[in-house]
Amino acid sequence: PFKKPCYLFAVVAGDLICTEDEFTTMNGKVVPLKIYTDKGNETRVNHAMKSLKKSMKWDEEKFGREYDLDIFMIVAVDAFNAGAMENKGLNIFNSSAILCDQKSATDNDFKYIEAVVAHEYFHNWTGNRITCRDWFQLTLKEGLTVFRDSEFSSDMGDRAVKRIEDASYMKEGQFAEDAGPMAHPIQPQSFMEIENFYTVTIYEKGCEVIRMLKTLYGEENFRKAMDVYFETFDGQAVTIDEFLWSFEKALNINLKQFKESWYFQAGTPTVKCTTQYDEENEKYFMTLEQSCDFPKKENFIPYIIPFAYGLLNNYGDDIENGLITLTQEKETFEFKNIKKEPIPSLLRNFSAPVQLEYNYSEKENIFLFAHDSDNFNRYEAGQRLSEHIIRQIKNSEIDEIPKEVINAYRSILQDREISDNFKAQCLSFPALYTLVSKEETYEYKKYYEAKKLFIKTLSNILSDELLEMYHAKQNENYSLDEKNIGARKLKNVCLSLLSEADRDYTNLISTQFEVSNNMTDSLQALALLCKKESLEKENALFDFKNKWKNDPLVMNKWFAVQMSMATENSLELVKKLEQDETFDITNPNKIRSLFGCFGRNYPFFHSDDENKVAENYEYIANKILEIDRFNSKISGGLAQIFRQYAKMPTPQKSLIKKSLEKIIETENISDILYEVVKKTLESGKIK
């Protein structure tokens, strides 16, 4: 009964089993819900069905959006390139985004499924009822819908932890994309192949840009503007301009600079902050200066940057907090009646997707790690603290970790006021990309060794506390409530840290693997056993495969965990696993689990051994070409393993260049692959 964009038509035929339920909308309409799966999988759709019903209710309450058709269906299949697609009334899913139960899926799988089901359902209004006029508007539906599913997941779980997860994904994924050959604005002005624009920039940065509108104007005004958007453009194919017009119309504002900076410029802005305290006049000054490497200086349009802050006294209380908005390249903000020089808490809750530069001292980071009332910034202080120490270790600038740093982590372990989930986040350490991204040349192996030494030292000193916490969080009764998920997460973080200590905890890890009643604990134990060669490792891998060899989704984990933990033998291992009878090179999930994890195991894929790294690159280049013959979407994605080419050390850079040239000189490669490789090669010339 409603117009439907042509790209959303879908037909599914197959010998499938249907699981049924129903949902009553806010106006009393009963909507049948159906999930179709292969035979044998119907017992693993209960969580997806519950997630769908929660999504439908949440969209009514938060956005006033009622489901419009008389039926809603989902089909889950194993071989699907994406996670899912929002085909109107008949969503098509990769089975990895639908099927789960306690024994075969991790806590992260359950959360992922809940989020993807919500995302595709939310598209019914943001993407289907109101759709894109053309592909240049792609973030109009994807960025907006990612924002909606992020808010949904925050309401369903721990909002602070969700914000940390989203920001981490931005920094490790989107910031890396912005620094590489495929950098593009969230509203591209041209493209060679649209498939290459289904990116973290379009999705995640697009989400963060919309989140800034909510931050700038408040939740009530954001809802008011969204109501105008839905009421004005229902049933139409529209543009980003019309979306932003809804905010201008509803709130009587002008978003010209916001649009031109955030939608049309590529790259990650940097905000440099300097502070000054005038003790005599009790004034505090904060100067913010923004820049971005990507646009040429003369073409740079200053971003509108909402900058959340807090000013803390020596007891950790907020003297003042709020939001300032940076609109120029450089601005100074004045704060009055500040009796003593405060400690600043900057860019709270990651209020804008920018790189922050501020010269925090080690003492200030320790203080904020212990006291900041903004949980996101408390976590960030811990990240800065560990990053600083790891960098010092890498540069041979310290012989031992300062006692104050050790005590800061001990205090986190002992803090009874914070949730287990948040505590586990605070006991995690910066990703390798975050560490190397500050350097001109990406020396993954050196940072890997420095990070490993830092964790080992910390674990040796805190082993008693970690072991005590590990045992305290054991729970035989499995539950998916937030408290139990957090306890499992903290328990497994403690076990992971203990595995790096000098004392051998293999028996403890093996015991967890053997007695575990859920996939979260089982897979974590398997991963830790895979870190070093042992009889226990071989037995666990054999037992896991023997138990799950007929379940393709679980076997994806078996492949991925081995490649993610592989060290110097990674090439031999990937070749061996490729020959496994359960591996299927035509299956996108299998490709990502094996070859994708091989390429993202940075310290060993980009080995310091020139012979090894040459073999690694040649092998993956041949796989990319092989896959391109039957699945160009996946080959193009796999080729982005080489996107850091321009920043690699000389031996690796020249060898990557050789592999990229081999690919691009091959006849009849797909347009998707050609564009990725061409831009990657061009990035090396620029740098």
Side-chain angles (χ1 to χ4, degrees), residues 144-157:
L144 177 56
T145 305
V146 170
F147 170 76
R148 277 154 49 73
D149 83 54
S150 175
E151 285 294 290
F152 168 76
S153 295
S154 296
D155 284 346
M156 296 301 114

Side-chain angles (χ1 to χ4, degrees), residues 543-588:
D543 291 345
F544 192 92
K545 180 185 175 183
N546 196 46
K547 181 177 181 179
W548 297 108
K549 61 187 175 184
N550 295 320
D551 188 318
L553 292 181
V554 180
M555 286 306 294
N556 293 338
K557 302 179 194 301
W558 186 78
F559 288 112
V561 77
Q562 292 181 75
M563 290 318 308
S564 299
M565 295 297 172
T567 53
E568 300 296 345
N569 68 334
S570 55
L571 182 60
E572 292 79 7
L573 182 60
V574 75
K575 287 179 177 178
K576 175 187 171 185
L577 293 176
E578 186 190 3
Q579 300 304 315
D580 191 90
E581 72 276 10
T582 64
F583 183 75
D584 177 5
I585 198 170
T586 66
N587 183 284

Side-chain angles (χ1 to χ4, degrees), residues 353-588:
V354 302
Q355 296 267 27
L356 174 66
E357 281 187 12
Y358 180 77
N359 192 24
Y360 277 111
S361 67
E362 187 175 283
K363 186 178 179 182
E364 286 174 323
N365 279 327
I366 290 171
F367 180 84
L368 291 169
F369 194 32
H371 299 293
D372 202 324
S373 61
D374 181 86
N375 273 348
F376 179 82
N377 272 17
R378 189 174 180 183
Y379 161 82
E380 280 288 288
Q383 295 293 292
R384 287 193 302 269
L385 189 62
S386 56
E387 184 178 336
H388 177 63
I389 300 296
I390 292 166
R391 186 162 278 108
Q392 286 183 310
I393 293 171
K394 181 252 180 188
N395 294 331
S396 303
E397 293 170 356
I398 57 171
D399 295 322
E400 59 181 28
I401 300 173
K403 192 182 298 181
E404 295 80 8
V405 174
I406 301 290
N407 287 336
Y409 284 98
R410 179 178 280 117
S411 296
I412 289 291
L413 264 173
Q414 296 171 346
D415 192 332
R416 296 184 177 182
E417 300 300 315
I418 58 178
S419 71
D420 288 343
N421 206 336
F422 179 66
K423 191 175 288 189
Q425 291 287 351
C426 289
L427 292 169
S428 65
F429 305 101
L432 281 178
Y433 175 76
T434 302
L435 293 168
V436 302
S437 64
K438 309 285 171 61
E439 309 283 358
E440 283 299 312
T441 303
Y442 293 172
E443 297 180 300
Y444 278 112
K445 191 67 178 293
K446 289 181 180 178
Y447 271 108
Y448 169 81
E449 297 293 350
K451 180 179 175 180
K452 192 174 177 67
L453 181 56
F454 170 71
I455 295 172
K456 179 180 180 178
T457 305
L458 200 64
S459 302
N460 280 332
I461 297 170
L462 298 179
S463 59
D464 289 344
E465 291 97 325
L466 290 167
L467 190 59
E468 183 182 349
M469 182 64 73
Y470 173 79
H471 288 303
K473 296 302 170 183
Q474 295 286 3
N475 188 351
E476 293 180 4
N477 298 317
Y478 177 86
S479 168
L480 265 178
D481 64 74
E482 202 62 32
K483 184 178 178 182
N484 276 275
I485 289 173
R488 274 192 297 277
K489 190 172 182 179
L490 179 56
K491 175 184 72 173
N492 282 309
V493 164
C494 290
L495 188 62
S496 179
L497 292 173
L498 286 168
S499 74
E500 297 291 341
D502 287 329
R503 182 179 166 188
D504 188 359
Y505 288 93
T506 303
N507 286 341
L508 185 68
I509 299 167
S510 294
T511 300
Q512 174 165 310
F513 178 79
E514 290 162 7
V515 305
S516 165
N517 66 354
N518 65 85
M519 182 56 74
T520 302
D521 289 349
S522 177
L523 192 67
Q524 177 67 6
L526 182 63
L528 297 179
L529 290 171
C530 281
K531 287 163 79 169
K532 48 190 171 186
E533 296 304 318
S534 66
L535 181 62
E536 288 86 354
K537 169 190 170 180
E538 296 306 319
N539 288 341
L541 285 169
F542 177 83
D543 291 345
F544 192 92
K545 180 185 175 183
N546 196 46
K547 181 177 181 179
W548 297 108
K549 61 187 175 184
N550 295 320
D551 188 318
L553 292 181
V554 180
M555 286 306 294
N556 293 338
K557 302 179 194 301
W558 186 78
F559 288 112
V561 77
Q562 292 181 75
M563 290 318 308
S564 299
M565 295 297 172
T567 53
E568 300 296 345
N569 68 334
S570 55
L571 182 60
E572 292 79 7
L573 182 60
V574 75
K575 287 179 177 178
K576 175 187 171 185
L577 293 176
E578 186 190 3
Q579 300 304 315
D580 191 90
E581 72 276 10
T582 64
F583 183 75
D584 177 5
I585 198 170
T586 66
N587 183 284

